Amino acid sequence: MEKEIAWDSIGEILRLLRISYDLSISELSEKTNISKSYITEIEKGVKTPSEKIIKRYSIGLEISEDTLNYFFKSYSHKHLPYQKLLMEILRKISKL
């Protein structure tokens, strides 16, 4: 059975990915054509990104949508301290 995505954690995962790629909100906004305020709302969990927005994130981060979905499925259910979750994501990114 495939693991469902916990959508309330997606913003945090996207924020950690952005940080992992050393991008500011402004830089990601330029790469994705998503407004800085909307990125902030997504990362704070105020908004849930649509499939279209997730596609833009994958383009901006230069990773496939499949990889993004892997991160969502793998980490959206984990309740780890921020630093530990960031380190796990960085380890996975380094293997891409």
Side-chain angles (χ1 to χ4, degrees), residues 77-88:
H77 294 278
K78 290 191 175 186
H79 299 288
L80 300 173
Y82 171 81
Q83 292 86 358
K84 189 168 184 170
L85 185 56
L86 179 59
M87 290 307 297
E88 280 197 30

Side-chain angles (χ1 to χ4, degrees), residues 3-21 28 39 42-45 49 54 57 61 63 67-80 82 85-86 88-90 93:
K3 190 185 279 190
E4 292 289 321
I5 296 172
W7 287 101
D8 58 334
S9 303
I10 297 306
E12 180 69 11
I13 292 167
L14 290 172
R15 183 171 73 90
L16 291 172
L17 285 167
R18 176 181 58 77
I19 290 167
S20 299
Y21 281 92
L28 184 62
I39 290 171
I42 290 169
E43 291 184 0
K44 288 183 176 182
I54 290 172
Y57 260 90
L61 296 172
I63 58 177
T67 301
L68 268 181
N69 282 318
Y70 166 80
F71 282 119
F72 296 157
K73 289 176 184 173
S74 297
Y75 296 106
S76 67
H77 294 278
K78 290 191 175 186
H79 299 288
L80 300 173
Y82 171 81
L85 185 56
L86 179 59
E88 280 197 30
I89 288 173
L90 284 169
I93 287 173

Side-chain angles (χ1 to χ4, degrees), residues 18 21-34 36 39 60:
R18 176 181 58 77
Y21 281 92
D22 197 28
L23 292 171
S24 69
I25 290 175
S26 295
E27 291 167 329
L28 184 62
S29 176
E30 288 176 24
K31 288 178 157 243
T32 59
N33 201 26
I34 303 171
K36 292 184 280 188
I39 290 171

